[in-house]
Each structure stands twice: as structure tokens, then as C-alpha cells.
Amino acid sequence: MADFSNCINWVLKLEDSKLTGVIKDLGDGGGLTRFGITQHSNQNVEPTFWTTMPFAEALDLAKRRYRAIYWNVMKGDFIDFEEVAAVLLSFVVNDGPHRAISEIQVALGRPDIVDDGNFGPKTLAAVNAADPVKLVRDLRDQQIAFYQRLVEYDPRDQKFLKGWLNRANSPYPS
């Protein structure tokens, strides 16, 4: 089974490479961001998270948010292969559960799996039955294609493409 601690530590390094907890505005519409947690998507987080909350407390809060909002939605505790769970978690965190789950459903390439963005028992069983190396490769390909479509749709997002592609291609564990 996938280990949340390993997966989240990898994702946190993708979000904050030196794990500094520095608060910044990335200019991407998310508002203030800390450990990849954005104000825009997390309006119910204690306001001190983006101002004076101590590092250890903020890191713990971020990990709890990632588990509750992303990991649990993608049934991470029940995914057999850790790299599959880690890559899916990275995608879910960066682009939302519905988008990432829909893309892994497409990556599975099975006609009996509908790409509805809901991680139900059929999707979980298909994920665990798949060849994990192939599934990771196909999911990364789906992620890259999604980012390229974003830039085609809105060329202003070109400034984010290199970072998005680096994220999609980042080896696990690193």
C-alpha cells in the first residue's frame, strides 16, 4: 500500500523545493501560497497560516489539508503502488481531484472505466490491477497533454509550462 508520508514529502518538495515554508504570491491567481496551499482554494484555513504561523505548525496543517482534501478523495491509502499514488497526488494537488482522477481513468485505457473524475471502487480496482510502470508513464503523459492544452487555450499560461512539465516528469522518489 502507498504510504502517505512518503508521497506527501515528495509532493511538498515539488511545491516548495527547499521546504522553507516561505509565503509568496506566485501570480497565478491563487493568492498567497505556502507549502503549495493557496488562499484562493483554502479560504477556511486559519489566516495566520499566511502570516505568522510557525513553520512546524504550518507544515503540519498543510499535510493535514493535503490528506483530507486530496489523498482521501483519491483513496491513496488503498492504492497498492506508491509511485502511482505519488504521481496521482501530485496531479491532484496541482490541478484538482476531478481533473486528475479523470486523467488517470483515461490513462487506464479500459472501456469499462468511465472518465467521470470520481475515484470509486471500479477505478481503484483498475488502478491496482494495472501495470504500475505503464500506468505511471501513461498518467504522466496525460498530465503533460493537459498542461499543453491549457497553454493552447490560454497562451498567457506559457510562463507556467516549463514548471508544469518539470513537475509531470519529476522522478519518484527524488
Side-chain angles (χ1 to χ4, degrees), residues 103 107-108 133-143:
E103 296 294 348
L108 286 164
V133 173
K134 181 180 183 321
L135 183 56
V136 164
R137 183 184 65 239
D138 292 348
L139 179 57
R140 289 177 188 272
D141 288 346
Q142 288 297 121
Q143 190 174 11

Side-chain angles (χ1 to χ4, degrees), residues 76-144:
D77 287 330
F78 304 101
I79 295 176
D80 290 341
F81 301 99
E82 192 163 284
E83 185 174 9
V84 170
V87 171
L88 180 57
L89 179 62
S90 171
F91 199 177
V92 166
V93 164
N94 206 44
D95 296 292
H98 189 270
R99 165 59 54 199
I101 292 167
S102 178
E103 296 294 348
I104 199 170
Q105 290 167 326
V106 170
L108 286 164
R110 290 181 39 171
D112 61 321
I113 302 298
V114 178
D115 64 330
D116 62 4
N118 296 308
F119 205 98
K122 281 181 74 173
T123 298
L124 177 62
V127 164
N128 287 336
D131 172 347
V133 173
K134 181 180 183 321
L135 183 56
V136 164
R137 183 184 65 239
D138 292 348
L139 179 57
R140 289 177 188 272
D141 288 346
Q142 288 297 121
Q143 190 174 11
I144 289 166

Side-chain angles (χ1 to χ4, degrees), residues 11-166:
V11 168
L12 282 167
K13 287 180 184 169
L14 296 175
E15 294 292 338
D16 182 349
S17 63
K18 296 188 187 324
L19 211 59
T20 62
V22 169
I23 302 153
K24 45 183 132 172
D25 187 338
L26 303 173
D28 59 2
L32 294 179
T33 302
R34 188 175 194 188
F35 298 119
I37 303 291
T38 63
Q39 262 182 327
H40 181 265
S41 299
N42 294 274
Q43 295 175 4
N44 60 344
V45 168
E46 183 179 334
T48 61
F49 179 78
W50 287 283
T51 56
T52 59
M53 186 178 285
F55 174 88
E57 186 179 340
L59 181 58
D60 181 62
L61 186 149
K63 287 180 179 182
R64 285 185 282 120
R65 299 283 301 171
Y66 281 123
R67 178 179 276 283
I69 296 171
Y70 304 115
W71 183 259
N72 291 344
V73 170
M74 59 175 257
K75 313 261 189 298
D77 287 330
F78 304 101
I79 295 176
D80 290 341
F81 301 99
E82 192 163 284
E83 185 174 9
V84 170
V87 171
L88 180 57
L89 179 62
S90 171
F91 199 177
V92 166
V93 164
N94 206 44
D95 296 292
H98 189 270
R99 165 59 54 199
I101 292 167
S102 178
E103 296 294 348
I104 199 170
Q105 290 167 326
V106 170
L108 286 164
R110 290 181 39 171
D112 61 321
I113 302 298
V114 178
D115 64 330
D116 62 4
N118 296 308
F119 205 98
K122 281 181 74 173
T123 298
L124 177 62
V127 164
N128 287 336
D131 172 347
V133 173
K134 181 180 183 321
L135 183 56
V136 164
R137 183 184 65 239
D138 292 348
L139 179 57
R140 289 177 188 272
D141 288 346
Q142 288 297 121
Q143 190 174 11
I144 289 166
F146 171 69
Y147 294 143
Q148 291 169 335
R149 287 191 309 270
L150 284 178
V151 172
E152 286 173 18
Y153 177 76
D154 188 348
R156 293 174 297 180
D157 285 337
Q158 181 69 43
K159 63 186 172 189
F160 301 116
L161 185 59
K162 182 179 178 187
W164 289 339
L165 296 178
N166 287 342

